[in-house]
């Protein structure tokens, strides 16, 4: 038994740390089974064994004493950048980055101004001063994928992922971190082979070419191919740029198989927080976000006059199919404008629509400055355009989806095969949940009289002020990403300090149908999966006033995502941390949920997070 009162090795009391004690017993017998343990400083003594299990593999509580090892520590100070010169050199002349670099050039002034504001806003002593070495692997631009996303970016193709990558790279650079960017599988192999070839699969790698690795699902597949059976040694430093998110039940390989989920995008067995989304779709993932670009400053905006016109959100002719009655009703009370791509014949856009074609950013925002109503048609889902419209003072008509409507079924079909169980209740749920009236009006696309009334009311009311959610500004993203890089650590075990601070924890219970996400939202809160370990305890049921005649800790074949939970005197403990879930729901048990407050306009952060 380790002596916790040793002056040389002041270990904490281990009575409540059964896993730690089991690992110590194993290491005493097996530390010579792999030379990698000795490389980390283990010499068979209880002191070095404990420090290894505490600081390297994180099975035991920390002691505060540093282990003797050859592990490199980056000590360079982080200094915010003053220009983008070095960043453009990093990206080089690779044609795959052409669209990304164009966006960076347009926005560099806004990023640098935001960096100055961030330094002024916060006491720099509260921010991590050491720079992180960050590798960014853009798998979507690798030639092996065959996606041709970079080419299609200039032909009306989807831009959301390129926008997010551009802003992530810019923000990391401006914050002062050391970055390397690649889309080459060949370069990836060259980079990792020296580190992996000599590594043991039993110990963490002592030196890596990065502290954090951002990639996407395509990049993950390339990385797994390069690393082979040593992929797990790289796993905890990875952050996945994942537009729509990956929920726990799809991420957990065994559980996804048991539920017969067919998605080809899940089953990675990551901490769900390692997936970074465009919008705060599910609190199980990390909200990384992006920036809504401002093309028109306040001085120029003052020269534009709002007109009683409606601009339809739909750049492709196919988006207009089946919407004839809806558009006709709007036309009865308003001139209808559009920005539809015209390379092919328009079969579904009515002749009375004033079509401007696909507009460059400045011209589109100039049109939005004149527009009072930005018309959603139910698709595309959760894009940036409604936020751009709201930021230019237009009111967004957000189409609701009733469970009996074809639009609801269409949305469900769109998400089929993706690693999420989300069921959209509108075209853009974020705008209703986190922005709302007067900037957003939820409408029933089949209630034509109501739609005409809403538009008339908007025209007759005072103009709505432009609104930009802080989290979609350069400053908001720098603030959020700076804290995420500093605080998120998926290589630490359960003994690591929790973030967000546990002081923000509030618990609620679901009814027999709600998910934790829904239950927390009804209370004006956000579900926070980091807090699940604090409530997944026998003692917490009593604290909540719940009587437990029987406790059950289900095995791997019976465990569900909506544990911890209870019903009829039986209480269920979650036995698999990878299945802690805010979004999931499979039983009619009463799920106990960890919630937290959030900063309005910065939903990723609690009020004490700063």
């Amino acid at each position: 038994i380790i002596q916790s009162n040793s002056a040389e090795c002041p270990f904490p009391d281990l009575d409540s740390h059964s896993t730690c004690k089991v690992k110590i017993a194993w290491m005493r017998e097996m530390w010579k089974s792999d030379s990698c343990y000795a490389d980390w400083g283990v010499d068979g003594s209880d002191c070095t064994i404990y420090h290894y299990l505490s600081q390297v593999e994180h099975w035991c509580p920390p002691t505060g004493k540093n282990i003797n090892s050859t592990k490199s520590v980056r000590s360079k100070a982080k200094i915010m950048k003053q220009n983008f010169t070095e960043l453009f050199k990093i990206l080089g002349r690779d044609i795959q980055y052409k669209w990304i670099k164009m966006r960076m050039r347009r926005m560099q002034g806004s990023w640098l101004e935001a960096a100055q504001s961030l330094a002024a806003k916060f006491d720099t002593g509260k921010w991590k001063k050491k720079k992180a070495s960050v590798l960014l692997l853009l798998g979507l631009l690798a030639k092996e994928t065959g996606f041709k996303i970079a080419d299609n970016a200039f032909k009306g193709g989807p831009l959301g992922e390129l926008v997010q990558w551009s802003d992530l790279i810019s923000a990391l650079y401006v914050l002062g971190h050391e970055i390397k960017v690649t889309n080459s599988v060949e370069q990836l192999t060259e980079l990792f082979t020296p580190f992996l070839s000599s590594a043991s699969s039993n110990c963490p790698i002592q030196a890596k070419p990065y502290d954090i690795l951002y990639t996407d699902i395509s990049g993950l597949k390339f990385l797994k191919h390069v690393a082979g059976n040593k992929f797990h040694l790289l796993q905890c430093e990875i952050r996945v740029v994942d537009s729509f998110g990956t929920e726990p039940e799809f991420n957990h390989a065994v559980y996804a198989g048991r539920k017969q989920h067919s998605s080809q995008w899940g089953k990675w067995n990551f901490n769900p927080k390692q997936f970074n989304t465009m919008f705060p779709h599910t609190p199980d993932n990390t909200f990384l976000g992006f920036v809504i670009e401002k093309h028109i400053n306040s001085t120029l905006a003052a020269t534009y006059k709002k007109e009683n016109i409606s601009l339809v959100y739909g750049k492709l002719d196919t988006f207009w199919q089946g919407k004839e009655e809806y558009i006709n009703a709007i036309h009865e009370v308003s001139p209808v404008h559009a920005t539809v791509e015209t390379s092919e014949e328009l079969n579904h856009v009515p002749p009375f629509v004033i079509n401007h074609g696909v507009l460059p950013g400045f011209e589109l925002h100039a049109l939005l400055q004149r527009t009072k109503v930005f018309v959603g048609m139910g698709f595309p889902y959760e894009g940036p355009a409604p936020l751009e419209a709201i930021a230019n003072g237009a009111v967004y008509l957000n189409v609701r989806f009733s469970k009996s409507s074809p639009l609801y079924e269409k949305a469900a079909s769109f998400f089929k095969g993706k690693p999420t169980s989300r069921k959209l209740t509108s075209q853009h749920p974020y705008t209703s949940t986190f922005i709302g009236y007067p900037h957003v009006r939820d409408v029933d696309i089949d209630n034509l009289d109501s739609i005409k009334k809403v538009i008339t009311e908007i025209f007759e009311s005072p103009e709505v002020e432009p609104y930009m959610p802080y989290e979609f500004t350069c400053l908001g993203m720098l603030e959020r990403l700076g804290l995420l890089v500093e605080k998120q650590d998926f290589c630490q075990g359960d003994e690591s300090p929790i973030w967000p601070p546990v002081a923000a924890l509030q618990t609620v219970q679901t009814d027999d149908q709600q998910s934790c996400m829904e239950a927390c939202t009804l209370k004006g809160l956000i579900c926070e999966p980091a807090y699940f370990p604090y409530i997944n305890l026998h003692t917490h049921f009593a604290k909540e006033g719940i009587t437990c005649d029987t406790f059950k800790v289900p095995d791997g074949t019976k465990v569900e995502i909506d544990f911890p939970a209870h019903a009829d005197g039986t209480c269920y403990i979650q036995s698999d941390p990878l299945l802690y879930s805010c979004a999931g729901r499979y039983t009619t048990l009463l799920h106990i949920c960890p919630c937290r407050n959030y900063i309005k306009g910065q939903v990723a952060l609690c009020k004490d997070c700063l």
Side-chain angles (χ1 to χ4, degrees):
I1 299 175
I2 287 183
Q3 299 298 316
S4 62
N5 60 352
S6 166
E8 182 181 358
C9 299
F11 307 127
D13 182 5
L14 299 180
D15 287 345
S16 61
H17 299 275
S18 57
T19 302
C20 174
K21 291 195 287 186
V22 169
K23 293 291 183 179
I24 290 171
W26 185 91
M27 281 289 288
R28 281 171 172 160
E29 299 293 325
M30 301 299 293
W31 72 275
K32 290 184 178 180
S33 64
D34 193 315
S35 61
C36 72
Y37 297 122
D39 293 339
W40 276 102
V42 177
D43 61 11
S45 68
D46 281 346
C47 189
T48 58
I49 287 173
Y50 186 89
H51 282 303
Y52 174 81
L53 292 173
S54 170
Q55 296 181 27
V56 180
E57 294 197 1
H58 309 292
W59 294 107
C60 297
T63 65
K65 182 177 179 179
N66 292 326
I67 192 169
N68 293 322
S69 76
T70 59
K71 184 174 176 67
S72 63
V73 178
R74 304 179 196 275
S75 57
K76 293 182 180 179
K78 180 182 66 177
I79 301 173
M80 289 190 182
K81 300 295 193 214
Q82 303 300 312
N83 59 63
F84 271 41
T85 304
E86 184 184 344
L87 177 57
F88 292 132
K89 289 181 180 178
I90 292 170
L91 294 174
R93 297 183 177 181
D94 191 332
I95 193 67
Q96 298 295 316
Y97 301 135
K98 182 179 179 181
W99 192 93
I100 287 175
K101 288 165 69 175
M102 288 174 60
R103 178 175 171 86
M104 288 175 173
R105 287 193 177 94
R106 290 196 307 269
M107 295 183 63
Q108 62 179 313
S110 299
W111 282 116
L112 297 173
E113 181 182 345
Q116 294 179 349
S117 298
L118 186 68
K121 182 176 180 180
F122 295 105
D123 173 8
T124 53
K126 296 178 182 178
W127 287 74
K128 193 173 184 178
K129 292 184 178 180
K130 290 181 182 178
K131 70 168 65 175
S133 176
V134 185
L135 174 64
L136 298 112
L137 168 61
L138 282 68
L140 79 168
L141 297 183
K143 62 182 180 182
E144 288 82 359
T145 63
F147 291 161
K148 296 185 179 180
I149 289 177
D151 294 336
N152 292 332
F154 298 96
K155 302 175 184 177
L159 300 176
E161 290 172 307
L162 292 181
V163 165
Q164 192 172 31
W165 273 112
S166 174
D167 295 349
L168 171 62
I169 295 168
S170 299
L172 288 168
Y173 172 79
V174 168
L175 285 167
H177 296 296
E178 179 183 298
I179 67 171
K180 182 179 181 65
V181 184
T182 184
N183 59 60
S184 166
V185 178
E186 181 181 355
Q187 188 176 39
L188 190 69
T189 304
E190 293 175 356
L191 190 63
F192 278 92
T193 297
F195 296 91
L196 292 171
S197 58
S198 60
S200 166
S201 60
N202 291 318
C203 297
I205 299 174
Q206 292 212 30
K208 295 181 184 177
Y210 58 85
D211 298 313
I212 296 173
L213 190 160
Y214 280 96
T215 189
D216 47 32
I217 299 297
S218 296
L220 276 184
K221 293 178 180 178
F222 296 139
L223 188 61
K224 191 168 186 178
H225 175 75
V226 169
N229 63 1
K230 295 178 181 178
F231 177 71
H232 68 283
L233 300 178
L234 311 175
Q235 202 162 315
C236 67
E237 287 96 353
I238 293 173
R239 312 288 188 269
V240 186
V241 177
D242 183 20
S243 298
F244 291 105
T246 298
E247 293 175 5
E249 64 178 285
F250 295 86
N251 169 62
H252 193 291
V254 173
Y255 191 87
R258 178 154 63 88
K259 294 297 182 183
Q260 298 183 336
H261 290 320
S262 60
S263 175
Q264 61 174 315
W265 308 110
K267 304 179 182 179
W268 288 100
N269 288 330
F270 283 11
N271 182 319
K273 280 287 188 180
Q274 288 176 259
F275 296 97
N276 289 248
T277 59
M278 286 194 72
F279 287 96
H281 302 305
T282 167
D284 292 312
N285 300 151
T286 293
F287 169 46
L288 172 63
F290 61 99
V291 173
I292 296 296
E293 189 175 358
K294 292 182 69 175
H295 291 272
I296 296 175
N297 59 35
S298 56
T299 302
L300 186 58
T303 65
Y304 290 97
K305 181 177 176 58
K306 283 290 183 187
E307 302 173 28
N308 288 343
I309 61 175
S310 299
L311 175 63
V312 175
Y313 176 24
K315 66 180 179 180
L316 297 180
D317 179 62
T318 53
F319 294 173
W320 295 66
Q321 188 172 3
K323 307 297 190 306
E324 291 83 3
E325 292 186 7
Y326 178 51
I327 301 302
N328 285 335
I330 294 171
H331 179 54
E332 289 181 24
V333 293
S334 166
V336 179
H337 290 245
T339 55
V340 186
E341 203 272 331
T342 57
S343 63
E344 296 182 2
E345 184 179 356
L346 303 184
N347 297 314
H348 305 291
V349 179
F352 56 75
V353 172
I354 304 167
N355 185 29
H356 301 261
V358 176
L359 296 175
F362 180 86
E363 293 181 32
L364 173 62
H365 283 225
L367 178 58
L368 287 169
Q369 284 285 321
R370 296 164 45 208
T371 300
K372 280 194 178 180
V373 178
F374 190 63
V375 180
M377 291 197 293
F379 186 86
Y381 310 120
E382 301 176 310
L387 297 185
E388 293 179 335
I390 293 167
N392 282 285
V395 177
Y396 171 52
L397 298 190
N398 183 38
V399 177
R400 289 194 305 263
F401 303 158
S402 66
K403 290 188 176 181
S404 60
S405 74
L407 289 173
Y408 182 83
E409 293 301 321
K410 183 179 177 181
S413 177
F414 177 84
F415 283 98
K416 188 175 182 180
K418 295 179 175 62
T420 175
S421 60
R422 284 193 304 133
K423 301 291 190 295
L424 293 192
T425 55
S426 69
Q427 182 176 356
H428 208 303
Y430 174 89
T431 61
S432 292
T433 303
F434 297 108
I435 300 178
Y437 182 87
H439 309 281
V440 181
R441 304 292 289 269
D442 291 343
V443 296
D444 179 354
I445 201 170
D446 295 318
N447 191 336
L448 303 182
D449 288 338
S450 175
I451 288 165
K452 289 187 284 186
K453 182 179 178 181
V454 166
I455 294 176
T456 301
E457 181 182 317
I458 293 169
F459 287 167
E460 294 178 351
S461 300
E463 292 179 10
V464 174
E465 290 295 319
Y467 174 71
M468 173 78 78
Y470 175 66
E471 55 202 351
F472 289 102
T473 65
C474 289
L475 181 56
M477 187 165 182
L478 287 179
E479 176 184 282
R480 179 172 64 255
L481 184 62
L483 282 170
L484 291 174
V485 171
E486 177 182 342
K487 300 293 187 180
Q488 283 190 331
D489 188 345
F490 303 109
C491 298
Q492 296 285 343
D494 292 340
E495 305 300 336
S496 61
I498 193 168
W499 191 83
V502 74
L505 169 63
Q506 300 180 48
T507 58
V508 302
Q509 291 186 51
T510 65
D511 59 22
D512 58 2
Q513 308 224 337
Q514 294 169 323
S515 67
C516 276
M517 184 169 66
E518 292 166 338
C520 293
T521 299
L522 287 174
K523 298 289 186 180
L525 303 168
I526 296 291
C527 182
E528 179 49 68
Y531 297 156
F532 269 115
Y534 281 79
I535 66 172
N536 188 49
L537 303 168
H538 293 65
T539 53
H540 187 79
F541 286 91
K543 185 178 179 181
E544 292 285 322
I546 299 167
T547 301
C548 299
D549 300 323
T550 306
F551 274 101
K552 289 188 177 182
V553 182
D555 61 27
T557 62
K558 296 180 180 178
V559 68
E560 286 293 353
I561 50 176
D562 40 356
F563 296 161
H566 70 97
D568 302 323
T570 301
C571 298
Y572 299 83
I573 295 291
Q574 178 59 261
S575 60
D576 191 334
L578 286 185
L579 289 179
Y580 288 137
S581 177
C582 290
R585 190 66 169 144
Y586 270 98
T587 75
T588 57
L589 301 171
L590 303 179
H591 195 174
I592 302 176
C593 306
C595 311
R596 64 164 170 84
N597 57 40
Y598 62 91
I599 300 171
K600 181 173 174 55
Q602 188 69 296
V603 66
L605 305 181
C606 66
K607 293 179 180 178
D608 294 330
C609 285
L610 298 178

